[in-house]
Amino acid sequence: MSSAQQKRRLFLKSTLASSTLSVAIAAGLITPKMVLAAWPKAAFAAKEIDSALQAVLGSAETTPSDKIKIKAPDIAENGAVVPITINTSLPNIEGIAIIAAKNSTPLTSSYQLASNAEGYLSTRIKMGKTSDIIVIVKSNGKLYSAQKEVKVTIGGCGG
Amino acid sequence: MASIKIRAKQKGNITTVKCLMSHPMETGFRKNKKTGKLIPAHHIQEVTITHADKVVLSALWSGAISKNPYLSCKFSDAGKGDKVTVSWKDNKGKSNSVTAKIK
């Protein structure tokens, strides 16, 4: 392949990539500043689970896995503090995302783990109403998911 | 005052880090009941847990993490007395960092 051809290919590739980006910018989905920011604002502002996953982990295709264990209360009396503990035996974990399915912006948080980190994570999240907590684990480049329903009773006397 | 409390304990080859940060974690969706105006978002966006100059865990957070956030993780290949640093940065550009020794 001559160098002119190579350049043309490169040019085509780069214009294709930049055109999808500019369409997204034109549509008001993302501003140039957000693309550069380390904190993925588009992912956290997404109202749909799939688009949030796409933005933060690069894919929305997940496989259910029984190797992810979620420890969370069955009934949370206060949706503002829902303790969650994740244990997973999946190998080579690169990232974890915690999603509260019915929150107005479902993605609560995402994590990147180093190679010496264990498949363990614990934190406390806010939930707007009763819904599933979905945990996505990126292992060996693939996404695995697990979910658990948490009932939220705000101001009620148990559900 | 914004502060971080850290506990780092080693058992076998596994070190468990638990940390508690004090932060309002305002989502930006809540309304002030008296004025009806939205309370502006003010939450931690990034948390990093570092051991021996290597990042063990980096977290990206939204306002959907509870007020005064708690975070815990486990990692291997650390020694007693090693230093673990937890630092955060919020959406207003404020940051904080605290270092503790593994017990």
Side-chain angles (χ1 to χ4, degrees), chain A residues 73 75-81 151-158:
Chain A
I75 297 172
E77 285 184 15
N78 182 1
V81 184
K151 283 187 176 149
V152 177
T153 57
I154 302 166
C157 24

Side-chain angles (χ1 to χ4, degrees), chain B:
Chain B
M1 260 304 283
S3 68
I4 310 174
K5 281 182 191 166
I6 313 174
R7 291 274 179 280
K9 264 193 176 171
Q10 197 187 35
K11 206 175 184 185
N13 191 28
I14 306 289
T15 304
T16 307
V17 181
K18 292 177 183 173
C19 49
L20 202 56
M21 294 151 245
S22 86
H23 199 282
M25 296 302 280
E26 202 55 71
T27 58
F29 301 125
R30 238 155 50 100
K31 276 182 183 166
N32 182 322
K33 275 178 189 158
K34 279 178 191 161
T35 62
K37 280 184 185 162
L38 284 176
I39 303 169
H42 184 206
H43 59 83
I44 295 175
Q45 288 188 322
E46 290 174 49
V47 185
T48 45
I49 299 179
T50 322
H51 165 250
D53 296 327
K54 270 168 76 184
V55 174
V56 176
L57 178 79
S58 68
L60 297 171
W61 281 357
S62 70
I65 298 294
S66 304
K67 185 179 171 182
N68 297 334
Y70 166 79
L71 180 66
S72 171
C73 78
K74 292 180 183 178
F75 63 95
S76 55
D77 304 329
K80 281 189 184 180
D82 283 7
K83 281 176 182 168
V84 174
T85 305
V86 176
S87 54
W88 59 254
K89 210 169 91 184
D90 70 16
N91 64 332
K92 291 187 178 173
K94 282 186 189 164
S95 61
N96 198 356
S97 175
V98 170
T99 302
K101 277 184 182 173
I102 297 173
K103 282 178 187 167

Side-chain angles (χ1 to χ4, degrees), chain A residues 118-131:
Chain A
E118 299 288 308
Y120 170 89
L121 196 67
S122 180
T123 189
R124 300 189 295 218
I125 67 163
K126 293 176 194 166
M127 290 178 72
K129 52 182 149 183
T130 298
S131 78

Side-chain angles (χ1 to χ4, degrees), chain A:
Chain A
M1 201 191 285
S2 77
S3 75
Q5 264 177 326
Q6 269 177 340
K7 263 184 198 160
R8 201 177 64 189
R9 271 159 201 266
L10 198 67
F11 173 74
L12 272 174
K13 263 189 200 164
S14 59
T15 42
L16 271 178
S18 65
S19 66
T20 44
L21 198 64
S22 54
V23 165
I25 292 168
L29 291 173
I30 38 173
T31 66
K33 197 183 163 199
M34 288 175 196
V35 178
L36 296 173
W39 191 73
K41 194 168 178 181
F44 286 111
K47 308 261 185 227
E48 306 288 333
I49 297 169
D50 281 3
S51 47
L53 280 181
Q54 188 77 44
V56 76
L57 292 170
S59 167
E61 272 182 50
T62 61
T63 317
S65 168
D66 56 3
K67 285 183 179 166
I68 307 169
K69 300 265 182 279
I70 308 171
K71 206 173 125 193
D74 293 328
I75 297 172
E77 285 184 15
N78 182 1
V81 184
V82 182
I84 292 181
T85 302
I86 301 159
N87 267 305
T88 172
S89 53
L90 288 165
N92 298 332
I93 300 158
E94 295 152 47
I96 295 178
I98 303 175
I99 288 164
K102 283 188 186 159
N103 276 13
S104 58
T105 54
L107 183 67
T108 67
S109 51
S110 101
Y111 304 85
Q112 271 188 318
L113 281 75
S115 54
N116 64 335
E118 299 288 308
Y120 170 89
L121 196 67
S122 180
T123 189
R124 300 189 295 218
I125 67 163
K126 293 176 194 166
M127 290 178 72
K129 52 182 149 183
T130 298
S131 78
D132 283 332
I133 291 175
I134 305 170
V135 172
I136 312 287
V137 175
K138 192 174 186 180
S139 156
N140 281 335
K142 275 189 168 177
L143 300 186
Y144 297 92
S145 70
Q147 58 191 61
K148 182 185 193 314
E149 194 193 43
V150 174
K151 283 187 176 149
V152 177
T153 57
I154 302 166
C157 24

